[in-house]
Amino acid sequence: MSARQYPASVDVVIVGSGPTGAAYARILSERAPGTTIAMFEVGPTVSDPPGAHVKNIADPAERARAQAASEGPGERGEKVANPGAAKAGVRGARPGTFLLDDGYAFEGEDGMPVAAMSSNVGGMSAHWTGACPRPNDSERIPFLPDLDELLDEGERLLGVRTDAFDAAPFGAIVRERLSAAVDAGRVDRTKVQRMPLAAHRRDDGRLVWSGSDVVLGDVTRANPGFTLIDESLVTRVVVEGGRASGVVVRDLRSGEQHEVAARVVVVAADALRTPQLLWASGVRPEALGRYLNDQAQIVFASRLRDVAPLGADAPATGLAEYSGVSWVPFTDDVPFHGQVMQLDASPIPLAEDDPVVPGSIVGLGLFCAKDLQADDRVAFDDEHLDGYGMPAPRIHYTLTARDHEVIDRARAEIVRLGEAVGDPLDSRPFTLPLGSSLHYQGSTRMGLADDGTSVCDLDSEVWGVPDLFVAGNGVIPTSTACNPTLTSVALAVRGARKIASVLSREQVARGAASA
């Protein structure tokens, strides 16, 4: 799947190999199997199979090399393994990610000091926590009548399950204690529950995280018309006659440039680099890059009371099945989403003191919904370039009075929940620097009409540029607090179905004409 032969033309070009780009490839392979697809990824292949989660790599040194290879161009910055470093003022990225060199904050604005990206096959799904909750209340997209069916399909592609930790004694204890503190007055769908997770069991019986490899699935890997080419930078979408007609792509190994013609182009980079490529291609609708929103993240930690120690043979890699991930859903009345993880399941270790019972340190995280503002945006110009030579993202971002109010409420709530679960490890919660959630949304948002407030229609096709589709968290038009990947994949399913329908009709028409 990583041949260096660049095709002259294909039916569909997909820019980016994260979960949404993979969803387009999967749906097209299932619904229009004769379609030729070229997927280009700027980063290298860092796992086997391509797109697999790097935390599934058992050898620590190999895992660290895979993470380092995902950290983009230029110097490797200092990594933040826990909030202690952030508290000390270190501006660092988590392993597997890299930060903007500059342009992340401007005078008089809050900015996103730790806005981060990954460059590797699988994108951020090679590094994520696998959490796939469904949106609730105002998080939902009100003008998509088929949203629930699309979410069902997203769960199928991601391999979402809620029983991954059913045998975990600590997970049940955590949910029981959280439920006593949270559930009163909530309907069933918003009560404390198991976190839906993209996780699967390998042939050897080990439970591991899912990545883009699972979304692609065997049907895509077996599709003779599908090609994945890594270390390939798409520098421009070609627009001719007002329609997308292909891409210009640079082989980062050789430096050679290729033009690949395509019937359809799907840009599924991320919420910063998808608008970057559109801007560089001269596709600049009024809402491009605007309504950018992150989820302010508050963290806290408690040690579980009254739990028995586990044996020394408990697993140290993959998903430790004595652990658990619990979910406190967002509601309009309580506008934050809770992700509660035992230490080994968290991307940010929360305790460094004496040796602890595995799984007994509970990391609580609350993610806050953001007020949407058109002036919160990622912008580009011809003067500033990133490490790839593309227009560098410049982030303008400001918290509103309501945002500060929600954050203050979340800080009080997380202490209450931490005390309900166990004995807090600190007297105060910590608000992570803006950008820490990695859940950036809105920059290529979907809308009902081409009225300057959205970039694409309900099928994710860019207004005014037929055959150009966008994908990823940036397409989500609502303010959310929950992890956005499931919603993004659901929206990608809708766009992929539209493309598959059009291509299938054209194939039938060509067949009839040649008969």
Side-chain angles (χ1 to χ4, degrees):
M1 294 201 329
S2 56
R4 303 311 296 178
Q5 183 69 38
Y6 287 76
S9 66
V10 292
D11 294 316
V12 181
V13 160
I14 301 173
V15 182
S17 62
T20 57
Y24 271 87
R26 172 75 169 271
I27 296 298
L28 288 168
S29 295
E30 290 178 342
R31 293 198 166 209
T35 300
T36 55
I37 307 164
M39 175 180 283
F40 297 114
E41 169 57 53
V42 69
T45 301
V46 298
S47 53
D48 183 21
H53 201 298
V54 301
K55 285 189 178 179
N56 300 340
I57 301 172
D59 180 73
E62 287 295 325
R63 187 163 61 250
R65 280 192 285 271
Q67 291 170 329
S70 304
E71 292 168 6
E75 297 294 324
R76 306 302 186 201
E78 184 173 354
K79 299 297 143 188
V80 173
N82 57 70
K87 287 180 182 178
V90 175
R91 181 179 170 264
R94 299 175 201 170
T97 72
F98 62 99
L99 304 177
L100 299 180
D101 291 332
D102 55 23
Y104 49 82
F106 292 89
E107 186 175 353
E109 301 174 356
D110 296 291
M112 282 190 194
V114 293
M117 298 166 281
S118 292
S119 288
N120 54 271
V121 172
M124 201 68 78
S125 75
H127 312 282
W128 69 325
T129 64
C132 291
R134 289 192 175 214
N136 278 307
D137 290 356
S138 60
E139 292 182 307
R140 293 173 57 85
I141 302 169
F143 49 77
L144 276 185
D146 54 348
L147 178 60
D148 287 314
E149 189 274 327
L150 294 171
L151 291 168
D152 289 342
E153 186 71 343
E155 289 175 342
R156 177 182 76 90
L157 298 185
L158 287 159
V160 176
R161 55 193 296 173
T162 58
D163 63 351
F165 294 109
D166 271 4
F170 293 168
I173 290 169
V174 169
R175 282 191 297 278
E176 179 182 319
R177 295 176 183 179
L178 286 173
S179 292
V182 169
D183 283 354
R186 290 189 174 221
V187 297
D188 286 347
R189 77 172 187 279
T190 60
K191 290 181 178 178
V192 172
Q193 55 197 275
R194 297 169 179 84
M195 177 69 78
L197 293 171
H200 64 283
R201 202 170 292 279
R202 297 197 317 198
D203 291 341
D204 62 7
R206 183 172 157 217
L207 189 67
V208 294
W209 297 117
S210 299
S212 286
D213 61 321
V214 171
V215 181
L216 288 169
D218 291 338
V219 67
T220 308
R221 284 185 285 270
N223 180 0
F226 173 72
T227 305
L228 167 60
I229 308 178
D230 64 1
E231 298 183 79
S232 297
L233 172 68
V234 174
T235 59
R236 182 166 59 91
V237 175
V238 179
V239 179
E240 294 179 330
R243 310 177 72 92
S245 62
V247 297
V248 176
V249 56
R250 183 189 311 142
D251 184 343
L252 294 184
R253 296 184 190 176
S254 68
E256 294 179 352
Q257 183 167 286
H258 304 266
E259 184 164 336
V260 179
R263 172 67 178 79
V264 176
V265 175
V266 179
V267 183
D270 56 40
L272 301 182
R273 288 179 287 186
T274 292
Q276 175 191 59
L277 179 55
L278 265 60
W279 194 92
S281 305
V283 178
R284 302 174 184 179
E286 184 179 345
L288 184 69
R290 292 189 176 273
Y291 301 95
L292 177 68
N293 65 100
D294 176 34
Q295 298 165 352
Q297 185 178 359
I298 294 88
V299 295
F300 199 52
S302 288
R303 190 189 305 265
L304 286 175
R305 292 185 295 266
D306 307 321
V307 294
L310 297 170
D313 59 346
T317 60
L319 295 184
E321 295 189 46
Y322 52 73
S323 185
V325 184
S326 301
W327 176 28
V328 183
F330 166 96
T331 70
D332 286 342
D333 292 333
V334 186
F336 20 83
H337 149 86
Q339 184 169 321
V340 182
M341 300 179 285
Q342 270 67 45
L343 180 63
D344 59 281
S346 172
I348 310 176
L350 296 175
E352 295 178 336
D353 53 359
D354 55 288
V356 297
V357 175
S360 68
I361 300 297
V362 180
L364 298 97
L366 290 183
F367 297 81
C368 302
K370 172 80 170 70
D371 260 350
L372 299 185
Q373 305 180 108
D375 284 343
D376 289 333
R377 65 196 187 278
V378 54
F380 308 94
D381 57 45
D382 294 321
E383 179 182 350
H384 300 91
L385 303 180
D386 66 11
Y388 293 110
M390 295 290 286
R394 317 280 288 172
I395 294 177
H396 297 271
Y397 197 74
T398 304
L399 298 178
T400 67
R402 183 180 182 277
D403 293 333
H404 285 291
E405 176 189 344
V406 170
I407 291 170
D408 288 343
R409 286 181 61 191
R411 288 176 61 85
E413 178 69 358
I414 205 169
V415 172
R416 188 178 77 87
L417 298 182
E419 291 173 344
V421 165
D423 300 317
L425 298 183
D426 201 346
S427 60
R428 294 181 297 174
F430 181 62
T431 303
L432 293 175
L434 294 177
S436 295
S437 79
L438 308 177
H439 295 167
Y440 322 129
Q441 300 165 65
S443 57
T444 53
R445 69 201 304 252
M446 170 184 290
L448 280 170
D450 184 8
D451 59 3
T453 66
S454 61
V455 170
C456 64
D457 65 15
L458 273 62
D459 294 316
S460 301
E461 192 167 12
V462 174
W463 296 117
V465 188
D467 304 324
L468 175 59
F469 291 71
V470 286
N473 294 342
V475 177
I476 298 173
T478 54
S479 176
T480 73
C482 72
N483 311 68
T485 302
L486 174 63
T487 302
S488 296
V489 169
L491 300 183
V493 167
R494 200 175 205 277
R497 287 175 175 175
K498 165 72 177 295
I499 296 170
S501 176
V502 170
L503 295 182
S504 294
R505 287 198 303 269
E506 291 178 355
Q507 290 166 3
V508 169
R510 285 197 298 271
S514 62

